[in-house]
Structures are given as structure tokens and as C-alpha cells.
Amino acid sequence: MNFMPTEQSSTQHFDVVIIGSGAAGLTTALQLPNHLSIAIICKQALKSGATPWAQGGVAAVLDEKDSVESHCSDTMAAGAHLNNAKMVKSIIEDSTESIHWLIEQGVPFTREDKEQITNDKEGFHLTKEGGHSFRRIIHAADATGAAITSTLIDRVLERKNISVFENRIAVDLITSPDNHGQSACVGLYVLNLDKDQVEAFQAGSTVLATGGASKVYLYTSNPDGASGDGIAMAWRAGCRVANMEFNQFHPTCLYHPHAKSFLISEALRGEGAHLKLPNGERFMHKFDERKELAPRDIVARAIDHEMKRLGCDHVTLDISHKPADFIKSHFPTIYERCLKFNIDITTEGIPVVPAAHYTCGGVVIDHKGRTDVRNLYAIGEVAHSGLHGANRLASNSLLECIVLGRAAAKNIEKHHQEASGYPKLNIPAWDDSLVTDSDEDVIISHNWDELRRFMWDYVGIVRTTKRLERAKHRVDLLMREIHDYYSNYKIGRDLIELRNLVLVADLIIRSALQRKESRGLHFTLDHPEILATAKDTLLTPPPKQPTWR
């Protein structure tokens, strides 16, 4: 750490501080009562979370032909039965009510044509995605995440008790012993990117809603902010993490030199799109009887296998056999984006490759979003709730954000009511008097590139023990180098994110080395069989002193 306790800092005080402005953070904020003061910390603008990138939709039990049991069964099967069955059932049982809450907020979900409306689907169009037994994905065309985000942001801006702090990146959580000697989170340090200075926030409760860590890989569908900040901060604060070896690679990311991280939704395959080799031949039937609708890990490995076998740069996803009007009405965002790159998806296939997409492991939480550190919550992709197991079922991620965001808010409110009030603490100021400006920023960019490349090459879709050991050797060297750099130079966004990414990379590699089987998203040539008993990979941080007393 490059700060020391000095004079009392100018600290901002809130009942609740939420780090992140995606579906998890916004839901938590809106479910908290009006009498609590709430701060939302955004790395960029309020609308810049990862949720707007989500295209497909939200999985929920909304059709009378569907059932909680079926949704649970599909979730467990996709997760290779590493899921926490109780958590799976609890979240899915709350799925219908959570969707109704989103509808009440004004989310414009796509409706059926009038002649197709049936009472069992309440007039909403439901689609089907890989691994699902029924049509249960409620969506807003092919831009569901953007629709949810814009709607929830409108509701947030109506609330006078919610303050939004944009262009700020969390640096570290602040912990202190409580009255029982247990570690408790009392706030955090935040770098104000506009003023280039570190600020302190005190909070009765702190919520990590920071998303995942897919930027640890060279190719990813995620926005630039997915740098594992919450996972790294929670680990440094004393929280356990679980199942970090399970990184979901989305099978279909647009392959084009100018198409940065653009995802081609799984909903295309749900509506009948075919995966094809460069010669136009379909191939998924050779890998799974469900063909294009197999779970994502199977589809991603199949594409990876065919690309390596043929030495080709990509395969194609072809839905051009469907009517053009159907394609344009169901996938307007994808149609328009591809057209910008001179790809007309109504007449030709889309070039696609797998890309790192979702972090299935994370900070260990319970059914109320609570972590190992008191007053600290984690919601969404940053967390390991047990819902996803060894592989996330499509469209369960937004569901988890909404359900557990609501649950955490209720627990925070109850905790706050039971407390007599949180005293204003004399949190020490951030001290950067012993560090200097760096004239070697090239080190940051070089280390960033090296880290992401060897993670892609050695800890990617297909792994071996030798590759993992090579990655561990390199990450150890990088961790020491980055720690020295962090200790001697003033911090900026790139350094903060690099520090977090290299720690998350180490957690992923350590977890992968511990798992001596191939299960779900973790596939290793040295241990191709699946073990009879499914066990979580649990990592516990070393004992630490509180960052503040």
C-alpha cells in the first residue's frame, strides 16, 4: 500500500456505498429505502457498466409450460453439477417476481405479435438459448442489457437520496475491527480521475458490484472496465474466493479488425442460426447432439478445435436462411452493427471467434450477498453465489444481479435499522508524499500486454499442467514487478487495473492447478475425465492487519 495514516482526511459519509453501475448496483440502490443516503461509484459514466453490453435477455420462469424444477435442472446440468443446489433453487424461485419488478420499473421487454399472445406468457416474447429446455428468455429485442440499464438509471436519477460519482475508480477497501474484534469494512479509497487525487468514502455498508475480470484475457467480449477490481479488493480485504478457474468463453464474438469486443448474441442460435466452417459445412453435430444449442463451453471448445484443426482465423454463424424481416426485427442491433463492417447478416454468415466472456467464480457470498468481511456485500459477476457452478447457463447472469441485488438491499436495510447509527470515523488521509510521478509508463503497457497474452495462450479454452505452470512462473514475476512499481509511483487508472488484473490472474492459475479433472469450463488435456464428486475450489487469503484502526 502506498498510503500512511496521517492527518484526518476529508471523508464523505454515506449509509451505503455501491461500487459499480450495472444491473447489480442499480438494483441494489433502487431497492434500498429513501431514508438511507446512497453513493454510486462509477469508473466512467453512470451508463458505462457491463450490463448495456448484454444482448440476449433474462432467464426466468414465465411460461405455464415451464417450471422452477426445469430451470433448476438446466442450470445444474450446464454447471456440471458444481452448483449450490439450494442457491440455484432460491434464485430461480424469485425469478418471476424479479422480472415483474423490472416490468414495474418500466423495462420495455419485447412483446408477442397480437395474434400470438397467450395468457401463459403474459404477452411477452420469450426466446430460447443454449442449454435451456424451454423458451424462458425475456428480452428487449437484442439489446436487453441496454434497455434495463437505461430504465434503472432513469429511476435512480429520480431518487434524491442517491448521489452518483462518475469518473472514479476504487483503489482499496478500508477495514477496521468491530466491537467483537472481527474485520469490518468501513469504506474505501477512490481515485478521482478528473482531479487526479484520492478521496475517502465512509459507509455503514459497502457493496461490490464491479463485474468480472475477462480483461485478463487477450480476446474478450467485455468492456475495458472488466479488470477484476472488486475481486482483487475483496481478496486484499480478507475475503475468500471460489472457482476462479471457470472462465466462460462466449463462442461467438464478431471477428473483424475494427469490431472491438462486439458479441453476437446466443439468441441467434436460439432462433436457428448455424455454425459453419469456411467451406460452408456445419460441424456442431460432431460434438454434441444439441448442435448449436449445446452449452457454451461445448460450443466454444468445438469452434476452438475446428479453428486449430484447419488453421483458420474464424468460423461463421449463419442465420441468412431465415426471412430478412424476421432477422431485422429480432436482431436490429446486431444487423446494424454488422452492416457497418459490410456484413449483411440477411444474406451471409457472420465471422465469429470465441472470446473471454464471463467470470463464473468470484468473492464467496451467502444468499443475502454477504462476504466474509462484515458490512461488505458482493453482487453479480464479482461474486461466487453458487448459481453458475462450472459453467453459467445463458441469461442467468442478469437474473442473479436482480435477485441478489434485491436480497442484499433488504439485508442492508435490516442491518441498518438494528444498528444505533454509524459514527463518523477519522479515516486517515491517503498519503502519496513518498512516491513520485512515473516516467516509465511503458512498463505498465508492456506488463498489461504480456499478462493478457500468456493468459490467453496458457490458461485459455484448453489447458495443460505444463501451460499452467508456465503461466504461474510468469505471473509471479509480474506480481513482484507491479508491486514494486505500485509502491514507488503515483497511481493512475492503468496501474490500478493492472495491479488488480495480475492478482486475479494469479487466483485463476492457482485455482486451475488445483482442479485435477475436466469439468465445465475447465478443460485440461492432462485430466480429461470428470471426477465423481463435485467440489468447489476455495482459496483463502493470508491473515492480514486491518487497513485502519
Side-chain angles (χ1 to χ4, degrees):
M1 303 294 293
N2 59 353
F3 72 89
M4 295 174 57
T6 57
E7 70 281 355
Q8 179 179 345
S9 64
S10 177
T11 302
Q12 302 197 60
H13 301 269
F14 291 90
D15 293 315
V16 184
V17 171
I18 299 169
I19 313 168
S21 58
L26 295 173
T27 298
T28 306
L30 288 171
Q31 286 286 284
L32 289 166
N34 289 321
H35 67 271
L36 296 184
S37 60
I38 303 164
I40 298 178
I41 307 295
C42 311
K43 189 181 285 190
Q44 298 177 35
L46 179 60
K47 61 181 180 180
S48 63
T51 299
W53 292 60
Q55 297 172 353
V58 190
V61 180
L62 300 168
D63 191 319
E64 288 182 355
K65 298 176 184 177
D66 197 3
S67 66
V68 169
E69 291 72 24
S70 175
H71 193 169
C72 288
S73 178
D74 291 344
T75 299
M76 297 290 292
H81 297 278
L82 189 65
N83 324 63
N84 181 318
K86 290 183 178 179
M87 183 67 83
V88 170
K89 184 178 181 182
S90 173
I91 290 175
I92 292 174
E93 283 180 337
D94 198 35
S95 66
T96 306
E97 183 178 337
S98 293
I99 294 299
H100 287 159
W101 179 78
L102 287 175
I103 294 170
E104 290 170 2
Q105 304 310 303
V107 177
F109 290 117
T110 298
R111 291 185 176 271
E112 288 275 22
D113 295 333
K114 289 184 179 180
E115 62 271 16
Q116 295 177 313
I117 292 178
T118 57
N119 291 331
D120 57 343
K121 289 191 285 190
E122 303 181 79
F124 291 103
H125 181 267
L126 304 178
T127 190
K128 185 178 181 182
E129 295 180 345
H132 289 275
S133 299
F134 289 90
R135 284 182 171 265
R136 62 166 68 101
I137 315 301
I138 189 169
H139 61 101
D142 62 345
T144 308
I148 290 175
T149 300
S150 61
T151 301
L152 297 187
I153 285 177
D154 287 344
R155 302 290 83 78
V156 162
L157 295 178
E158 294 170 356
R159 294 273 296 268
K160 295 181 179 180
N161 66 316
I162 300 177
S163 301
V164 177
F165 296 86
E166 298 181 319
N167 296 320
R168 286 167 169 83
I169 180 170
V171 180
D172 260 322
L173 300 170
I174 304 171
T175 58
S176 177
D178 62 14
N179 294 333
H180 304 287
Q182 295 179 300
S183 181
C185 183
V186 296
L188 70 155
Y189 290 109
V190 173
L191 175 63
N192 184 324
L193 297 172
D194 294 327
K195 296 183 178 180
D196 193 28
Q197 66 183 36
V198 176
E199 304 166 338
F201 284 76
Q202 186 202 343
S205 297
T206 301
V207 180
L208 297 172
T210 52
S214 286
K215 273 294 176 179
V216 77
Y217 288 101
L218 184 60
Y219 302 111
T220 175
S221 65
N222 283 205
D224 288 338
S227 50
D229 302 332
I231 296 171
M233 288 191 296
W235 175 266
R236 290 193 293 264
C239 295
R240 294 171 299 161
V241 300
N243 292 354
M244 290 297 295
E245 68 271 34
F246 297 112
N247 308 100
Q248 187 176 78
F249 289 82
H250 197 287
T252 54
C253 194
L254 178 61
Y255 179 79
H256 191 281
H258 304 300
K260 184 179 181 181
S261 303
F262 185 69
L263 183 70
I264 304 300
S265 171
E266 189 158 357
L268 266 80
R269 285 180 282 131
E271 294 297 339
H274 299 155
L275 282 164
K276 297 181 178 180
L277 300 175
N279 64 1
E281 177 186 348
R282 293 179 68 181
F283 60 89
M284 276 307 303
H285 62 280
K286 297 186 295 184
F287 297 91
D288 193 282
E289 62 182 11
R290 292 165 289 188
K291 302 176 184 177
E292 282 82 3
L293 290 180
R296 288 177 176 175
D297 60 323
I298 296 173
V299 180
R301 282 200 299 274
I303 295 173
D304 182 70
H305 173 84
E306 291 299 306
M307 287 172 57
K308 289 177 178 176
R309 181 178 69 86
L310 297 173
C312 56
D313 295 327
H314 65 274
V315 297
T316 60
L317 183 65
D318 194 346
I319 198 171
S320 63
H321 54 279
K322 292 283 188 178
D325 289 343
F326 172 87
I327 296 171
K328 292 177 182 179
S329 63
H330 280 73
F331 308 108
T333 304
I334 296 173
Y335 172 76
E336 292 295 338
R337 179 63 70 90
C338 288
L339 208 57
K340 290 181 179 179
F341 301 112
N342 297 316
I343 303 167
D344 185 349
I345 69 173
T346 66
T347 61
E348 60 186 313
I350 308 166
V352 293
V353 293
H357 181 59
Y358 192 87
T359 307
C360 287
V363 183
V364 175
I365 61 168
D366 66 6
H367 62 291
K368 298 179 181 179
R370 295 176 295 192
T371 71
D372 294 329
V373 175
R374 290 196 62 183
N375 305 333
L376 179 65
Y377 297 75
I379 307 296
E381 192 175 354
V382 67
H384 171 263
S385 67
L387 172 64
H388 306 307
N391 182 20
R392 176 178 66 88
L393 181 65
S395 292
N396 267 354
S397 53
L398 287 176
L399 175 64
E400 180 184 36
C401 290
I402 307 304
V403 171
L404 290 184
R406 285 156 49 90
K410 291 178 182 178
N411 188 258
I412 291 171
E413 180 182 6
K414 178 181 178 182
H415 172 70
H416 185 81
Q417 291 173 340
E418 291 174 348
S420 58
Y422 299 98
K424 292 185 177 181
L425 305 173
N426 294 328
I427 291 177
W430 183 273
D431 182 11
D432 59 4
S433 62
L434 300 179
V435 298
T436 62
D437 289 318
S438 170
D439 58 358
E440 296 285 346
D441 284 351
V442 66
I443 295 175
I444 296 177
S445 60
H446 175 80
N447 286 352
W448 181 285
D449 183 66
E450 180 185 352
L451 173 68
R452 298 179 71 206
R453 283 187 182 276
F454 76 64
M455 286 296 291
W456 182 263
D457 290 339
Y458 298 150
V459 201
I461 297 173
V462 177
R463 302 163 178 174
T464 67
T465 300
K466 182 177 288 186
R467 291 175 192 171
L468 294 173
E469 289 172 345
R470 286 173 178 167
K472 184 67 173 83
H473 175 69
R474 282 163 173 75
V475 83
D476 287 345
L477 295 174
L478 278 183
M479 287 184 72
R480 289 195 293 270
E481 188 171 315
I482 293 167
H483 174 76
D484 290 343
Y485 194 95
Y486 181 84
S487 301
N488 290 286
Y489 297 105
K490 290 183 178 179
I491 60 173
R493 173 174 172 169
D494 289 345
L495 179 55
I496 293 170
E497 290 183 333
L498 178 61
R499 178 189 182 222
N500 291 333
L501 272 180
V502 75
L503 174 54
V504 170
D506 180 64
L507 297 174
I508 292 171
I509 297 165
R510 288 167 57 187
S511 298
L513 282 168
Q514 286 190 29
R515 187 164 293 278
K516 306 299 184 184
E517 64 168 345
S518 289
R519 183 184 295 272
L521 300 167
H522 175 74
F523 185 82
T524 170
L525 296 176
D526 293 317
H527 303 281
E529 302 300 324
I530 188 170
L531 297 179
T533 302
K535 293 183 178 180
D536 290 331
T537 303
L538 195 63
L539 300 181
T540 302
K544 64 181 290 296
Q545 293 297 317
T547 56
W548 177 80
R549 289 183 178 273

